[in-house]
Amino acid sequence: MRRMSFEDMNCSVAQCLEVVGEWWTLLIVRDALFGVTRFDDFRARLGIARNVLTQRLEHLVAHGVLTREPYQQNPIRYDYRLTAKGRALWSVVNAMRQWGDEWAAPDGPPIQAVHESCGHVATIEPHCSSCGERVHARDLHPVYGPGARDHTLLPG
């Protein structure tokens, strides 16, 4: 079954899903964030079919999340490296990891994030970019931004 496209939806979450919403895509990005760059390494780590991996990598390259750089000429082989756009998905992947640690890992986190500076396991928490205060969902309210094409996105 082909999934619905969100291409025309005026919503940043929907547009993000257009790029990284397929089931294997964020696992590929996760592994790239861990330093994986080669097709065979992605394939071995994920257990993903060659054709599916090829499609997902091509999609990520087409959307500027990864670049494809040759490292061998005969036969030609490529490294897949995160762009700035791809590295910016770190906060998305990390938020999903932390959610999974809390709600879907009954034996505890399979991977923990250690902060290089202090050497402790860290939980990443959002803070306001203006005042520095920790932000909870209940502390925020949506308003229309400059990219809103209509005013049907918000309830009421």
Side-chain angles (χ1 to χ4, degrees), residues 9-36:
M9 193 177 288
N10 186 218
C11 169
S12 294
V13 173
Q15 294 311 305
C16 180
L17 288 172
E18 267 304 296
V19 177
V20 298
E22 291 290 339
W23 143 296
W24 287 105
T25 304
L26 283 176
L27 293 176
I28 293 167
V29 171
R30 176 206 62 190
D31 280 4
L33 288 164
F34 286 164
V36 177

PDB file of all heavy atoms in Angstrom, residues 9-36:
ATOM      1  N   MET A   9       0.783  19.716   2.091  1.00  0.00           N
ATOM      2  CA  MET A   9       0.271  20.110   3.395  1.00  0.00           C
ATOM      3  C   MET A   9       1.126  21.241   3.969  1.00  0.00           C
ATOM      4  O   MET A   9       2.341  21.135   4.027  1.00  0.00           O
ATOM      5  CB  MET A   9       0.259  18.907   4.343  1.00  0.00           C
ATOM      6  CG  MET A   9      -0.541  19.155   5.607  1.00  0.00           C
ATOM      7  SD  MET A   9      -0.619  17.682   6.661  1.00  0.00           S
ATOM      8  CE  MET A   9      -1.720  16.654   5.718  1.00  0.00           C
ATOM      9  N   ASN A  10       0.503  22.308   4.390  1.00  0.00           N
ATOM     10  CA  ASN A  10       1.191  23.477   4.952  1.00  0.00           C
ATOM     11  C   ASN A  10       1.450  23.241   6.439  1.00  0.00           C
ATOM     12  O   ASN A  10       0.830  23.828   7.301  1.00  0.00           O
ATOM     13  CB  ASN A  10       0.344  24.730   4.711  1.00  0.00           C
ATOM     14  CG  ASN A  10       1.037  26.011   5.135  1.00  0.00           C
ATOM     15  OD1 ASN A  10       0.404  26.909   5.653  1.00  0.00           O
ATOM     16  ND2 ASN A  10       2.324  26.123   4.925  1.00  0.00           N
ATOM     17  N   CYS A  11       2.417  22.341   6.709  1.00  0.00           N
ATOM     18  CA  CYS A  11       2.735  21.959   8.092  1.00  0.00           C
ATOM     19  C   CYS A  11       4.181  21.478   8.118  1.00  0.00           C
ATOM     20  O   CYS A  11       4.565  20.601   7.339  1.00  0.00           O
ATOM     21  CB  CYS A  11       1.794  20.848   8.552  1.00  0.00           C
ATOM     22  SG  CYS A  11       2.270  20.079  10.104  1.00  0.00           S
ATOM     23  N   SER A  12       4.990  22.031   8.992  1.00  0.00           N
ATOM     24  CA  SER A  12       6.404  21.656   9.056  1.00  0.00           C
ATOM     25  C   SER A  12       6.605  20.207   9.476  1.00  0.00           C
ATOM     26  O   SER A  12       7.537  19.546   9.014  1.00  0.00           O
ATOM     27  CB  SER A  12       7.151  22.594  10.011  1.00  0.00           C
ATOM     28  OG  SER A  12       7.171  23.903   9.489  1.00  0.00           O
ATOM     29  N   VAL A  13       5.741  19.683  10.335  1.00  0.00           N
ATOM     30  CA  VAL A  13       5.843  18.271  10.730  1.00  0.00           C
ATOM     31  C   VAL A  13       5.579  17.392   9.511  1.00  0.00           C
ATOM     32  O   VAL A  13       6.315  16.432   9.243  1.00  0.00           O
ATOM     33  CB  VAL A  13       4.865  17.935  11.883  1.00  0.00           C
ATOM     34  CG1 VAL A  13       4.864  16.441  12.169  1.00  0.00           C
ATOM     35  CG2 VAL A  13       5.220  18.721  13.138  1.00  0.00           C
ATOM     36  N   ALA A  14       4.551  17.709   8.750  1.00  0.00           N
ATOM     37  CA  ALA A  14       4.231  16.943   7.543  1.00  0.00           C
ATOM     38  C   ALA A  14       5.376  17.017   6.539  1.00  0.00           C
ATOM     39  O   ALA A  14       5.723  16.010   5.910  1.00  0.00           O
ATOM     40  CB  ALA A  14       2.940  17.458   6.913  1.00  0.00           C
ATOM     41  N   GLN A  15       5.992  18.182   6.373  1.00  0.00           N
ATOM     42  CA  GLN A  15       7.104  18.320   5.434  1.00  0.00           C
ATOM     43  C   GLN A  15       8.323  17.530   5.893  1.00  0.00           C
ATOM     44  O   GLN A  15       9.036  16.939   5.084  1.00  0.00           O
ATOM     45  CB  GLN A  15       7.458  19.791   5.216  1.00  0.00           C
ATOM     46  CG  GLN A  15       6.355  20.576   4.531  1.00  0.00           C
ATOM     47  CD  GLN A  15       5.814  19.890   3.286  1.00  0.00           C
ATOM     48  OE1 GLN A  15       6.577  19.553   2.382  1.00  0.00           O
ATOM     49  NE2 GLN A  15       4.512  19.655   3.238  1.00  0.00           N
ATOM     50  N   CYS A  16       8.565  17.480   7.183  1.00  0.00           N
ATOM     51  CA  CYS A  16       9.641  16.648   7.727  1.00  0.00           C
ATOM     52  C   CYS A  16       9.357  15.176   7.426  1.00  0.00           C
ATOM     53  O   CYS A  16      10.249  14.435   7.001  1.00  0.00           O
ATOM     54  CB  CYS A  16       9.775  16.880   9.234  1.00  0.00           C
ATOM     55  SG  CYS A  16      11.072  15.911  10.025  1.00  0.00           S
ATOM     56  N   LEU A  17       8.115  14.755   7.604  1.00  0.00           N
ATOM     57  CA  LEU A  17       7.744  13.365   7.324  1.00  0.00           C
ATOM     58  C   LEU A  17       7.904  13.020   5.846  1.00  0.00           C
ATOM     59  O   LEU A  17       8.193  11.877   5.509  1.00  0.00           O
ATOM     60  CB  LEU A  17       6.317  13.093   7.791  1.00  0.00           C
ATOM     61  CG  LEU A  17       6.140  13.022   9.301  1.00  0.00           C
ATOM     62  CD1 LEU A  17       4.654  12.954   9.658  1.00  0.00           C
ATOM     63  CD2 LEU A  17       6.898  11.855   9.893  1.00  0.00           C
ATOM     64  N   GLU A  18       7.729  13.996   4.959  1.00  0.00           N
ATOM     65  CA  GLU A  18       7.959  13.755   3.531  1.00  0.00           C
ATOM     66  C   GLU A  18       9.393  13.292   3.291  1.00  0.00           C
ATOM     67  O   GLU A  18       9.654  12.486   2.421  1.00  0.00           O
ATOM     68  CB  GLU A  18       7.724  15.023   2.707  1.00  0.00           C
ATOM     69  CG  GLU A  18       6.365  15.206   2.152  1.00  0.00           C
ATOM     70  CD  GLU A  18       5.862  14.071   1.279  1.00  0.00           C
ATOM     71  OE1 GLU A  18       6.443  13.802   0.214  1.00  0.00           O
ATOM     72  OE2 GLU A  18       4.858  13.467   1.646  1.00  0.00           O
ATOM     73  N   VAL A  19      10.320  13.795   4.086  1.00  0.00           N
ATOM     74  CA  VAL A  19      11.733  13.477   3.898  1.00  0.00           C
ATOM     75  C   VAL A  19      12.148  12.259   4.718  1.00  0.00           C
ATOM     76  O   VAL A  19      12.817  11.365   4.216  1.00  0.00           O
ATOM     77  CB  VAL A  19      12.622  14.693   4.251  1.00  0.00           C
ATOM     78  CG1 VAL A  19      14.097  14.351   4.125  1.00  0.00           C
ATOM     79  CG2 VAL A  19      12.262  15.885   3.368  1.00  0.00           C
ATOM     80  N   VAL A  20      11.754  12.191   5.983  1.00  0.00           N
ATOM     81  CA  VAL A  20      12.278  11.140   6.870  1.00  0.00           C
ATOM     82  C   VAL A  20      11.195  10.237   7.463  1.00  0.00           C
ATOM     83  O   VAL A  20      11.469   9.488   8.392  1.00  0.00           O
ATOM     84  CB  VAL A  20      13.146  11.735   8.011  1.00  0.00           C
ATOM     85  CG1 VAL A  20      14.357  12.439   7.458  1.00  0.00           C
ATOM     86  CG2 VAL A  20      12.329  12.647   8.916  1.00  0.00           C
ATOM     87  N   GLY A  21       9.994  10.285   6.912  1.00  0.00           N
ATOM     88  CA  GLY A  21       8.886   9.546   7.502  1.00  0.00           C
ATOM     89  C   GLY A  21       8.793   8.073   7.146  1.00  0.00           C
ATOM     90  O   GLY A  21       8.013   7.344   7.736  1.00  0.00           O
ATOM     91  N   GLU A  22       9.594   7.602   6.182  1.00  0.00           N
ATOM     92  CA  GLU A  22       9.552   6.175   5.845  1.00  0.00           C
ATOM     93  C   GLU A  22      10.210   5.376   6.963  1.00  0.00           C
ATOM     94  O   GLU A  22      11.176   5.820   7.571  1.00  0.00           O
ATOM     95  CB  GLU A  22      10.262   5.920   4.514  1.00  0.00           C
ATOM     96  CG  GLU A  22       9.544   6.468   3.319  1.00  0.00           C
ATOM     97  CD  GLU A  22       8.262   5.727   2.984  1.00  0.00           C
ATOM     98  OE1 GLU A  22       8.102   4.560   3.400  1.00  0.00           O
ATOM     99  OE2 GLU A  22       7.402   6.314   2.323  1.00  0.00           O
ATOM    100  N   TRP A  23       9.785   4.203   7.143  1.00  0.00           N
ATOM    101  CA  TRP A  23      10.110   3.337   8.262  1.00  0.00           C
ATOM    102  C   TRP A  23      11.595   3.106   8.469  1.00  0.00           C
ATOM    103  O   TRP A  23      12.068   3.131   9.591  1.00  0.00           O
ATOM    104  CB  TRP A  23       9.264   2.110   8.028  1.00  0.00           C
ATOM    105  CG  TRP A  23       9.691   0.772   8.310  1.00  0.00           C
ATOM    106  CD1 TRP A  23      10.692   0.061   7.750  1.00  0.00           C
ATOM    107  CD2 TRP A  23       9.054  -0.095   9.225  1.00  0.00           C
ATOM    108  NE1 TRP A  23      10.701  -1.194   8.253  1.00  0.00           N
ATOM    109  CE2 TRP A  23       9.696  -1.319   9.160  1.00  0.00           C
ATOM    110  CE3 TRP A  23       7.982   0.043  10.095  1.00  0.00           C
ATOM    111  CZ2 TRP A  23       9.320  -2.400   9.939  1.00  0.00           C
ATOM    112  CZ3 TRP A  23       7.617  -1.029  10.845  1.00  0.00           C
ATOM    113  CH2 TRP A  23       8.283  -2.229  10.768  1.00  0.00           C
ATOM    114  N   TRP A  24      12.403   2.944   7.446  1.00  0.00           N
ATOM    115  CA  TRP A  24      13.844   2.704   7.625  1.00  0.00           C
ATOM    116  C   TRP A  24      14.666   3.987   7.687  1.00  0.00           C
ATOM    117  O   TRP A  24      15.826   3.979   8.111  1.00  0.00           O
ATOM    118  CB  TRP A  24      14.397   1.867   6.465  1.00  0.00           C
ATOM    119  CG  TRP A  24      13.977   0.433   6.512  1.00  0.00           C
ATOM    120  CD1 TRP A  24      13.037  -0.166   5.718  1.00  0.00           C
ATOM    121  CD2 TRP A  24      14.470  -0.588   7.379  1.00  0.00           C
ATOM    122  NE1 TRP A  24      12.929  -1.493   6.047  1.00  0.00           N
ATOM    123  CE2 TRP A  24      13.800  -1.777   7.068  1.00  0.00           C
ATOM    124  CE3 TRP A  24      15.425  -0.598   8.396  1.00  0.00           C
ATOM    125  CZ2 TRP A  24      14.035  -2.972   7.729  1.00  0.00           C
ATOM    126  CZ3 TRP A  24      15.663  -1.793   9.057  1.00  0.00           C
ATOM    127  CH2 TRP A  24      14.977  -2.962   8.720  1.00  0.00           C
ATOM    128  N   THR A  25      14.112   5.087   7.256  1.00  0.00           N
ATOM    129  CA  THR A  25      14.893   6.293   7.019  1.00  0.00           C
ATOM    130  C   THR A  25      15.584   6.823   8.272  1.00  0.00           C
ATOM    131  O   THR A  25      16.777   7.136   8.246  1.00  0.00           O
ATOM    132  CB  THR A  25      14.017   7.379   6.369  1.00  0.00           C
ATOM    133  OG1 THR A  25      13.458   6.830   5.166  1.00  0.00           O
ATOM    134  CG2 THR A  25      14.809   8.616   6.034  1.00  0.00           C
ATOM    135  N   LEU A  26      14.882   6.944   9.375  1.00  0.00           N
ATOM    136  CA  LEU A  26      15.512   7.476  10.581  1.00  0.00           C
ATOM    137  C   LEU A  26      16.518   6.505  11.181  1.00  0.00           C
ATOM    138  O   LEU A  26      17.461   6.929  11.855  1.00  0.00           O
ATOM    139  CB  LEU A  26      14.471   7.902  11.616  1.00  0.00           C
ATOM    140  CG  LEU A  26      13.802   9.236  11.313  1.00  0.00           C
ATOM    141  CD1 LEU A  26      12.712   9.549  12.325  1.00  0.00           C
ATOM    142  CD2 LEU A  26      14.809  10.378  11.265  1.00  0.00           C
ATOM    143  N   LEU A  27      16.366   5.205  10.913  1.00  0.00           N
ATOM    144  CA  LEU A  27      17.393   4.262  11.363  1.00  0.00           C
ATOM    145  C   LEU A  27      18.670   4.433  10.546  1.00  0.00           C
ATOM    146  O   LEU A  27      19.780   4.312  11.081  1.00  0.00           O
ATOM    147  CB  LEU A  27      16.877   2.827  11.277  1.00  0.00           C
ATOM    148  CG  LEU A  27      15.735   2.497  12.242  1.00  0.00           C
ATOM    149  CD1 LEU A  27      15.236   1.079  12.008  1.00  0.00           C
ATOM    150  CD2 LEU A  27      16.161   2.693  13.683  1.00  0.00           C
ATOM    151  N   ILE A  28      18.532   4.743   9.274  1.00  0.00           N
ATOM    152  CA  ILE A  28      19.700   5.053   8.443  1.00  0.00           C
ATOM    153  C   ILE A  28      20.361   6.326   8.961  1.00  0.00           C
ATOM    154  O   ILE A  28      21.583   6.382   9.135  1.00  0.00           O
ATOM    155  CB  ILE A  28      19.304   5.178   6.959  1.00  0.00           C
ATOM    156  CG1 ILE A  28      18.853   3.813   6.416  1.00  0.00           C
ATOM    157  CG2 ILE A  28      20.447   5.754   6.131  1.00  0.00           C
ATOM    158  CD1 ILE A  28      18.158   3.876   5.065  1.00  0.00           C
ATOM    159  N   VAL A  29      19.561   7.351   9.243  1.00  0.00           N
ATOM    160  CA  VAL A  29      20.097   8.603   9.784  1.00  0.00           C
ATOM    161  C   VAL A  29      20.761   8.349  11.135  1.00  0.00           C
ATOM    162  O   VAL A  29      21.852   8.856  11.404  1.00  0.00           O
ATOM    163  CB  VAL A  29      18.999   9.687   9.883  1.00  0.00           C
ATOM    164  CG1 VAL A  29      19.487  10.909  10.653  1.00  0.00           C
ATOM    165  CG2 VAL A  29      18.519  10.088   8.492  1.00  0.00           C
ATOM    166  N   ARG A  30      20.139   7.547  11.988  1.00  0.00           N
ATOM    167  CA  ARG A  30      20.734   7.201  13.284  1.00  0.00           C
ATOM    168  C   ARG A  30      22.118   6.603  13.093  1.00  0.00           C
ATOM    169  O   ARG A  30      23.085   7.031  13.723  1.00  0.00           O
ATOM    170  CB  ARG A  30      19.844   6.205  14.032  1.00  0.00           C
ATOM    171  CG  ARG A  30      20.440   5.726  15.365  1.00  0.00           C
ATOM    172  CD  ARG A  30      19.933   4.368  15.778  1.00  0.00           C
ATOM    173  NE  ARG A  30      20.305   3.337  14.807  1.00  0.00           N
ATOM    174  CZ  ARG A  30      19.826   2.110  14.822  1.00  0.00           C
ATOM    175  NH1 ARG A  30      18.932   1.751  15.725  1.00  0.00           N
ATOM    176  NH2 ARG A  30      20.217   1.221  13.923  1.00  0.00           N
ATOM    177  N   ASP A  31      22.220   5.631  12.195  1.00  0.00           N
ATOM    178  CA  ASP A  31      23.516   4.992  11.968  1.00  0.00           C
ATOM    179  C   ASP A  31      24.525   5.966  11.368  1.00  0.00           C
ATOM    180  O   ASP A  31      25.709   5.932  11.714  1.00  0.00           O
ATOM    181  CB  ASP A  31      23.358   3.752  11.088  1.00  0.00           C
ATOM    182  CG  ASP A  31      22.863   2.553  11.885  1.00  0.00           C
ATOM    183  OD1 ASP A  31      22.580   2.697  13.096  1.00  0.00           O
ATOM    184  OD2 ASP A  31      22.770   1.456  11.301  1.00  0.00           O
ATOM    185  N   ALA A  32      24.076   6.855  10.495  1.00  0.00           N
ATOM    186  CA  ALA A  32      24.969   7.876   9.948  1.00  0.00           C
ATOM    187  C   ALA A  32      25.469   8.794  11.070  1.00  0.00           C
ATOM    188  O   ALA A  32      26.641   9.179  11.088  1.00  0.00           O
ATOM    189  CB  ALA A  32      24.266   8.671   8.850  1.00  0.00           C
ATOM    190  N   LEU A  33      24.594   9.127  12.015  1.00  0.00           N
ATOM    191  CA  LEU A  33      25.009   9.925  13.167  1.00  0.00           C
ATOM    192  C   LEU A  33      26.033   9.177  14.015  1.00  0.00           C
ATOM    193  O   LEU A  33      26.889   9.793  14.655  1.00  0.00           O
ATOM    194  CB  LEU A  33      23.794  10.316  14.015  1.00  0.00           C
ATOM    195  CG  LEU A  33      22.876  11.375  13.402  1.00  0.00           C
ATOM    196  CD1 LEU A  33      21.530  11.401  14.110  1.00  0.00           C
ATOM    197  CD2 LEU A  33      23.536  12.748  13.433  1.00  0.00           C
ATOM    198  N   PHE A  34      25.965   7.846  14.028  1.00  0.00           N
ATOM    199  CA  PHE A  34      26.949   7.021  14.737  1.00  0.00           C
ATOM    200  C   PHE A  34      28.249   6.883  13.954  1.00  0.00           C
ATOM    201  O   PHE A  34      29.208   6.294  14.422  1.00  0.00           O
ATOM    202  CB  PHE A  34      26.396   5.625  15.011  1.00  0.00           C
ATOM    203  CG  PHE A  34      25.364   5.534  16.099  1.00  0.00           C
ATOM    204  CD1 PHE A  34      24.577   4.404  16.189  1.00  0.00           C
ATOM    205  CD2 PHE A  34      25.164   6.532  17.027  1.00  0.00           C
ATOM    206  CE1 PHE A  34      23.623   4.276  17.192  1.00  0.00           C
ATOM    207  CE2 PHE A  34      24.213   6.431  18.030  1.00  0.00           C
ATOM    208  CZ  PHE A  34      23.441   5.295  18.113  1.00  0.00           C
ATOM    209  N   GLY A  35      28.286   7.376  12.702  1.00  0.00           N
ATOM    210  CA  GLY A  35      29.501   7.337  11.910  1.00  0.00           C
ATOM    211  C   GLY A  35      29.515   6.327  10.775  1.00  0.00           C
ATOM    212  O   GLY A  35      30.515   6.188  10.070  1.00  0.00           O
ATOM    213  N   VAL A  36      28.416   5.620  10.556  1.00  0.00           N
ATOM    214  CA  VAL A  36      28.336   4.670   9.445  1.00  0.00           C
ATOM    215  C   VAL A  36      28.238   5.464   8.145  1.00  0.00           C
ATOM    216  O   VAL A  36      27.468   6.419   8.056  1.00  0.00           O
ATOM    217  CB  VAL A  36      27.122   3.729   9.612  1.00  0.00           C
ATOM    218  CG1 VAL A  36      26.983   2.792   8.430  1.00  0.00           C
ATOM    219  CG2 VAL A  36      27.235   2.947  10.918  1.00  0.00           C
TER     220      VAL A  36
END
